[in-house]
Amino acid sequence: MITFHDFSYAYPTSEAPVLHGVDLRIRPGRFHGLVGPSGSGKSTLAFAAAGFIPHAQGGEHTGSVTVDERIVADTPLPELVTRVGLVQQDPFNQISGARFSVREELAFGLENLGVEHAEMRHRVAEVLELLRIEHLADRSPYELSGGQQQVVAVGSMLVMRPEALILDEPTSQLDPAGSRMVVESLAAIRESGMTVLLIEHKLELLADHADELHVLVDGRIVAEGEPGRILTDARMAGWGLGATRFTTAAAEARRDGLWEQDRRLPVTLDAAAEGFRGVLEGKAGA
Ligand SMILES: Nc1ncnc2c1ncn2[C@@H]1O[C@H](COP(=O)(O)OP(=O)(O)OP(=O)(O)O)[C@@H](O)[C@H]1O
């Protein structure tokens, strides 16, 4: 479990804190999503959960972040990497450059930890299978598409068997085909029962995957709850956030009497289809 306890933080060059009194619980086996407008502090929060703040970035903080009761600020980074994996936006920057094949790239972090060879091979094979990238095992990481590289970056975190995986806008630099690959791997990770925090601007992705959403605005958590409730919250526009296409379509249809007044607005394709089917069947039967 990753827990933020009244955590505030300012970078060494910040004039004002970037995070303000953040209280947050990332619970074991749950898929959490973090949304917020640009510059609200989402990546900063991810760095704090993974220990890069304060270990690599310095700066000033109050309150604490704990990972399984260990205070992140007091735990050495090499110990934290086996507990919290962080996948960032640009897949290219996450490839070590030290290895010739995807298989070796995946083993790289384990080699550094001194994991024995048989165990290393086992974990690499397991991750190749989970992410359905066995066919890429002997390819050079540099020959891969952006989407494939990002899935390999996810894999290089998963081989460490962290308790939690944080993904910071993992599809933002990818084309639609690359995004699809990463989204498919998210589904596999979700099924594996791993603890996940996904930072994402694409609300539909969160609606499809997350159990719980947290909204960060100006460094403060302003709302938390299940995606269906948060993504249809009337305050979304005021927070600088949009709505899913399904919510917008149903809200417009409701003005024309084509969405039941007391039916919740949808955030997924399935919920939208169900609502519209209900209206059409009602009209056909009338
Ligand atoms: N290394 C740094 N030093 C000083 N200020 C920083 C640093 N990194 C980020 N900031 C500032 O901290 C604030 C929050 O940035 P952060 O990248 O965490 O936001 P974000 O919500 O992830 O944004 P985006 O959605 O655009 O990625 C911004 O005002 C940013 O300029």
Side-chain angles (χ1 to χ4, degrees):
M1 157 127 69
I2 303 173
T3 312
F4 284 68
H5 310 263
D6 196 15
F7 185 77
S8 299
Y9 173 74
Y11 286 100
T13 56
S14 304
E15 284 177 7
V18 170
L19 297 177
H20 299 267
V22 170
D23 284 306
L24 182 70
R25 287 157 75 91
I26 305 299
R27 289 181 286 159
R30 303 266 293 173
F31 199 117
H32 293 254
L34 180 67
V35 279
S38 212
S40 58
K42 301 181 297 298
S43 298
T44 304
L45 188 150
F47 285 146
F52 297 123
I53 285 173
H55 292 293
Q57 297 271 4
E60 297 281 331
H61 73 274
T62 57
S64 64
V65 180
T66 54
V67 173
D68 288 334
E69 317 291 322
R70 282 158 211 263
I71 297 174
V72 164
D74 299 339
T75 308
L77 256 186
E79 195 179 319
L80 286 168
V81 293
T82 60
R83 294 175 183 276
V84 181
L86 175 61
V87 174
Q88 302 187 47
Q89 299 183 8
D90 189 347
F92 192 78
N93 289 342
Q94 294 168 83
I95 289 174
S96 71
R99 291 296 180 267
F100 297 113
S101 72
V102 165
R103 195 189 302 281
E104 290 169 325
E105 177 70 29
L106 290 177
F108 183 61
L110 297 175
E111 271 173 41
N112 286 342
L113 290 178
V115 172
E116 64 163 84
H117 276 264
E119 171 67 10
M120 204 149 57
R121 273 199 300 277
H122 171 68
R123 289 205 207 175
V124 168
E126 196 177 67
V127 164
L128 287 168
E129 189 189 339
L130 175 76
L131 299 177
R132 298 191 195 101
I133 51 171
E134 292 106 323
H135 60 293
L136 302 179
D138 298 314
R139 300 262 303 275
S140 160
Y142 289 108
E143 286 171 2
L144 305 181
S145 69
Q148 290 170 330
Q149 285 182 340
Q150 189 63 300
V151 176
V152 171
V154 170
S156 66
M157 291 297 143
L158 290 181
V159 288
M160 313 288 261
R161 299 221 177 121
E163 275 137 55
L165 185 65
I166 302 176
L167 301 121
D168 188 355
E169 293 182 50
T171 67
S172 66
Q173 314 259 330
L174 304 179
D175 61 17
S179 298
R180 224 172 10 253
M181 278 200 71
V182 173
V183 170
E184 278 164 19
S185 68
L186 283 182
I189 291 165
R190 184 188 157 82
E191 275 164 33
S192 76
M194 176 140 217
T195 308
V196 177
L197 175 64
L198 173 64
I199 298 172
E200 192 49 72
H201 281 290
K202 295 171 189 156
L203 303 179
E204 286 160 25
L205 206 56
L206 291 168
D208 280 342
H209 291 284
D211 299 310
E212 191 174 341
L213 287 189
H214 310 268
V215 184
L216 189 70
V217 178
D218 290 336
R220 292 181 171 83
I221 298 287
V222 296
E224 297 177 301
E226 52 112 359
R229 192 167 63 74
I230 295 292
L231 297 178
T232 55
D233 191 304
R235 294 170 292 175
M236 283 289 277
W239 291 327
L241 297 165
T244 72
R245 288 172 300 168
F246 312 119
T247 311
T248 306
E252 281 185 24
R254 188 159 68 181
R255 278 195 287 276
D256 299 330
L258 296 170
W259 187 268
E260 291 168 43
Q261 288 300 328
D262 49 1
R263 183 186 274 272
R264 240 179 169 190
L265 291 173
V267 297
T268 61
L269 177 60
D270 285 349
E274 195 185 314
F276 285 120
R277 201 177 297 122
V279 171
L280 290 174
E281 281 168 3
K283 288 197 178 301

mmCIF file of all heavy atoms in Angstrom, residues 242-263:
data_model
loop_
_atom_site.group_PDB
_atom_site.id
_atom_site.type_symbol
_atom_site.label_atom_id
_atom_site.label_comp_id
_atom_site.label_asym_id
_atom_site.label_seq_id
_atom_site.Cartn_x
_atom_site.Cartn_y
_atom_site.Cartn_z
ATOM 1 N N GLY A 242 -12.364 17.694 -18.997
ATOM 2 C CA GLY A 242 -13.492 17.517 -19.912
ATOM 3 C C GLY A 242 -14.410 16.405 -19.435
ATOM 4 O O GLY A 242 -14.542 16.149 -18.237
ATOM 5 N N ALA A 243 -15.053 15.772 -20.407
ATOM 6 C CA ALA A 243 -15.939 14.646 -20.099
ATOM 7 C C ALA A 243 -15.672 13.585 -21.157
ATOM 8 O O ALA A 243 -15.112 13.884 -22.216
ATOM 9 C CB ALA A 243 -17.391 15.107 -20.177
ATOM 10 N N THR A 244 -16.065 12.352 -20.890
ATOM 11 C CA THR A 244 -15.908 11.329 -21.925
ATOM 12 C C THR A 244 -16.903 11.637 -23.055
ATOM 13 O O THR A 244 -17.906 12.331 -22.838
ATOM 14 C CB THR A 244 -16.187 9.903 -21.402
ATOM 15 O OG1 THR A 244 -17.591 9.768 -21.185
ATOM 16 C CG2 THR A 244 -15.427 9.594 -20.117
ATOM 17 N N ARG A 245 -16.631 11.089 -24.250
ATOM 18 C CA ARG A 245 -17.552 11.310 -25.383
ATOM 19 C C ARG A 245 -18.924 10.754 -25.042
ATOM 20 O O ARG A 245 -19.959 11.268 -25.458
ATOM 21 C CB ARG A 245 -17.026 10.583 -26.632
ATOM 22 C CG ARG A 245 -15.821 11.231 -27.242
ATOM 23 C CD ARG A 245 -15.260 10.360 -28.323
ATOM 24 N NE ARG A 245 -14.865 9.051 -27.792
ATOM 25 C CZ ARG A 245 -14.555 7.998 -28.545
ATOM 26 N NH1 ARG A 245 -14.615 8.083 -29.859
ATOM 27 N NH2 ARG A 245 -14.196 6.850 -27.998
ATOM 28 N N PHE A 246 -18.949 9.677 -24.243
ATOM 29 C CA PHE A 246 -20.222 9.020 -23.926
ATOM 30 C C PHE A 246 -21.061 9.910 -23.000
ATOM 31 O O PHE A 246 -22.274 10.027 -23.161
ATOM 32 C CB PHE A 246 -19.956 7.650 -23.294
ATOM 33 C CG PHE A 246 -18.948 6.863 -24.085
ATOM 34 C CD1 PHE A 246 -17.744 6.455 -23.512
ATOM 35 C CD2 PHE A 246 -19.172 6.579 -25.422
ATOM 36 C CE1 PHE A 246 -16.805 5.769 -24.258
ATOM 37 C CE2 PHE A 246 -18.235 5.894 -26.184
ATOM 38 C CZ PHE A 246 -17.046 5.481 -25.601
ATOM 39 N N THR A 247 -20.382 10.548 -22.045
ATOM 40 C CA THR A 247 -21.094 11.440 -21.127
ATOM 41 C C THR A 247 -21.657 12.630 -21.911
ATOM 42 O O THR A 247 -22.828 12.999 -21.731
ATOM 43 C CB THR A 247 -20.117 11.941 -20.035
ATOM 44 O OG1 THR A 247 -19.424 10.825 -19.484
ATOM 45 C CG2 THR A 247 -20.862 12.681 -18.932
ATOM 46 N N THR A 248 -20.824 13.204 -22.777
ATOM 47 C CA THR A 248 -21.258 14.381 -23.547
ATOM 48 C C THR A 248 -22.442 14.027 -24.448
ATOM 49 O O THR A 248 -23.436 14.765 -24.503
ATOM 50 C CB THR A 248 -20.085 14.899 -24.418
ATOM 51 O OG1 THR A 248 -18.970 15.104 -23.554
ATOM 52 C CG2 THR A 248 -20.426 16.201 -25.111
ATOM 53 N N ALA A 249 -22.336 12.875 -25.133
ATOM 54 C CA ALA A 249 -23.419 12.484 -26.049
ATOM 55 C C ALA A 249 -24.728 12.277 -25.286
ATOM 56 O O ALA A 249 -25.795 12.748 -25.706
ATOM 57 C CB ALA A 249 -23.025 11.208 -26.798
ATOM 58 N N ALA A 250 -24.645 11.595 -24.144
ATOM 59 C CA ALA A 250 -25.870 11.308 -23.384
ATOM 60 C C ALA A 250 -26.443 12.589 -22.778
ATOM 61 O O ALA A 250 -27.669 12.762 -22.726
ATOM 62 C CB ALA A 250 -25.579 10.271 -22.299
ATOM 63 N N ALA A 251 -25.560 13.509 -22.354
ATOM 64 C CA ALA A 251 -26.058 14.768 -21.768
ATOM 65 C C ALA A 251 -26.817 15.559 -22.844
ATOM 66 O O ALA A 251 -27.871 16.149 -22.578
ATOM 67 C CB ALA A 251 -24.898 15.585 -21.205
ATOM 68 N N GLU A 252 -26.281 15.555 -24.069
ATOM 69 C CA GLU A 252 -26.979 16.264 -25.169
ATOM 70 C C GLU A 252 -28.289 15.575 -25.508
ATOM 71 O O GLU A 252 -29.326 16.218 -25.704
ATOM 72 C CB GLU A 252 -26.083 16.334 -26.411
ATOM 73 C CG GLU A 252 -25.052 17.430 -26.264
ATOM 74 C CD GLU A 252 -24.218 17.630 -27.509
ATOM 75 O OE1 GLU A 252 -24.685 17.283 -28.606
ATOM 76 O OE2 GLU A 252 -23.092 18.139 -27.350
ATOM 77 N N ALA A 253 -28.244 14.238 -25.544
ATOM 78 C CA ALA A 253 -29.461 13.475 -25.869
ATOM 79 C C ALA A 253 -30.535 13.720 -24.801
ATOM 80 O O ALA A 253 -31.732 13.790 -25.113
ATOM 81 C CB ALA A 253 -29.132 11.988 -25.960
ATOM 82 N N ARG A 254 -30.097 13.890 -23.555
ATOM 83 C CA ARG A 254 -31.070 14.098 -22.472
ATOM 84 C C ARG A 254 -31.847 15.404 -22.682
ATOM 85 O O ARG A 254 -33.042 15.478 -22.408
ATOM 86 C CB ARG A 254 -30.337 14.105 -21.120
ATOM 87 C CG ARG A 254 -31.281 14.108 -19.936
ATOM 88 C CD ARG A 254 -30.623 13.619 -18.674
ATOM 89 N NE ARG A 254 -29.601 14.547 -18.212
ATOM 90 C CZ ARG A 254 -28.868 14.333 -17.129
ATOM 91 N NH1 ARG A 254 -29.040 13.249 -16.397
ATOM 92 N NH2 ARG A 254 -27.960 15.196 -16.768
ATOM 93 N N ARG A 255 -31.141 16.418 -23.190
ATOM 94 C CA ARG A 255 -31.831 17.698 -23.461
ATOM 95 C C ARG A 255 -32.943 17.522 -24.495
ATOM 96 O O ARG A 255 -33.938 18.225 -24.488
ATOM 97 C CB ARG A 255 -30.813 18.743 -23.943
ATOM 98 C CG ARG A 255 -30.062 19.398 -22.794
ATOM 99 C CD ARG A 255 -29.342 20.653 -23.266
ATOM 100 N NE ARG A 255 -28.176 20.349 -24.093
ATOM 101 C CZ ARG A 255 -26.982 20.052 -23.592
ATOM 102 N NH1 ARG A 255 -26.801 20.015 -22.280
ATOM 103 N NH2 ARG A 255 -25.963 19.786 -24.374
ATOM 104 N N ASP A 256 -32.749 16.540 -25.395
ATOM 105 C CA ASP A 256 -33.763 16.289 -26.438
ATOM 106 C C ASP A 256 -34.713 15.153 -26.054
ATOM 107 O O ASP A 256 -35.414 14.610 -26.907
ATOM 108 C CB ASP A 256 -33.068 15.922 -27.766
ATOM 109 C CG ASP A 256 -32.175 17.054 -28.256
ATOM 110 O OD1 ASP A 256 -32.503 18.215 -27.953
ATOM 111 O OD2 ASP A 256 -31.144 16.772 -28.903
ATOM 112 N N GLY A 257 -34.661 14.738 -24.801
ATOM 113 C CA GLY A 257 -35.553 13.663 -24.342
ATOM 114 C C GLY A 257 -35.142 12.288 -24.836
ATOM 115 O O GLY A 257 -35.951 11.360 -24.862
ATOM 116 N N LEU A 258 -33.867 12.154 -25.260
ATOM 117 C CA LEU A 258 -33.421 10.863 -25.792
ATOM 118 C C LEU A 258 -32.542 10.104 -24.793
ATOM 119 O O LEU A 258 -31.842 9.152 -25.170
ATOM 120 C CB LEU A 258 -32.661 11.077 -27.111
ATOM 121 C CG LEU A 258 -33.523 11.651 -28.245
ATOM 122 C CD1 LEU A 258 -32.671 12.076 -29.429
ATOM 123 C CD2 LEU A 258 -34.569 10.618 -28.685
ATOM 124 N N TRP A 259 -32.520 10.542 -23.581
ATOM 125 C CA TRP A 259 -31.833 9.826 -22.493
ATOM 126 C C TRP A 259 -32.725 9.983 -21.282
ATOM 127 O O TRP A 259 -33.178 11.096 -20.983
ATOM 128 C CB TRP A 259 -30.445 10.440 -22.230
ATOM 129 C CG TRP A 259 -29.629 9.649 -21.231
ATOM 130 C CD1 TRP A 259 -29.586 9.869 -19.880
ATOM 131 C CD2 TRP A 259 -28.780 8.538 -21.492
ATOM 132 N NE1 TRP A 259 -28.747 8.954 -19.284
ATOM 133 C CE2 TRP A 259 -28.241 8.130 -20.253
ATOM 134 C CE3 TRP A 259 -28.426 7.842 -22.646
ATOM 135 C CZ2 TRP A 259 -27.364 7.050 -20.140
ATOM 136 C CZ3 TRP A 259 -27.539 6.779 -22.531
ATOM 137 C CH2 TRP A 259 -27.017 6.384 -21.296
ATOM 138 N N GLU A 260 -32.991 8.868 -20.596
ATOM 139 C CA GLU A 260 -33.921 8.948 -19.461
ATOM 140 C C GLU A 260 -33.405 9.944 -18.434
ATOM 141 O O GLU A 260 -32.219 9.919 -18.092
ATOM 142 C CB GLU A 260 -34.068 7.572 -18.814
ATOM 143 C CG GLU A 260 -34.808 6.564 -19.694
ATOM 144 C CD GLU A 260 -34.671 5.152 -19.144
ATOM 145 O OE1 GLU A 260 -34.796 4.974 -17.921
ATOM 146 O OE2 GLU A 260 -34.402 4.246 -19.949
ATOM 147 N N GLN A 261 -34.299 10.808 -17.955
ATOM 148 C CA GLN A 261 -33.899 11.887 -17.043
ATOM 149 C C GLN A 261 -33.217 11.352 -15.786
ATOM 150 O O GLN A 261 -32.265 11.942 -15.294
ATOM 151 C CB GLN A 261 -35.126 12.722 -16.624
ATOM 152 C CG GLN A 261 -35.683 13.607 -17.727
ATOM 153 C CD GLN A 261 -34.667 14.629 -18.249
ATOM 154 O OE1 GLN A 261 -33.822 15.115 -17.523
ATOM 155 N NE2 GLN A 261 -34.743 14.932 -19.542
ATOM 156 N N ASP A 262 -33.741 10.208 -15.260
ATOM 157 C CA ASP A 262 -33.201 9.745 -13.977
ATOM 158 C C ASP A 262 -32.102 8.686 -14.158
ATOM 159 O O ASP A 262 -31.606 8.143 -13.190
ATOM 160 C CB ASP A 262 -34.322 9.217 -13.066
ATOM 161 C CG ASP A 262 -35.207 8.236 -13.804
ATOM 162 O OD1 ASP A 262 -34.924 7.978 -15.003
ATOM 163 O OD2 ASP A 262 -36.174 7.728 -13.198
ATOM 164 N N ARG A 263 -31.730 8.400 -15.428
ATOM 165 C CA ARG A 263 -30.629 7.452 -15.632
ATOM 166 C C ARG A 263 -29.303 8.200 -15.520
ATOM 167 O O ARG A 263 -29.165 9.311 -16.032
ATOM 168 C CB ARG A 263 -30.731 6.786 -17.016
ATOM 169 C CG ARG A 263 -29.659 5.744 -17.249
ATOM 170 C CD ARG A 263 -29.700 5.227 -18.677
ATOM 171 N NE ARG A 263 -30.632 4.144 -18.863
ATOM 172 C CZ ARG A 263 -30.329 2.849 -18.679
ATOM 173 N NH1 ARG A 263 -29.123 2.492 -18.300
ATOM 174 N NH2 ARG A 263 -31.231 1.932 -18.880
#
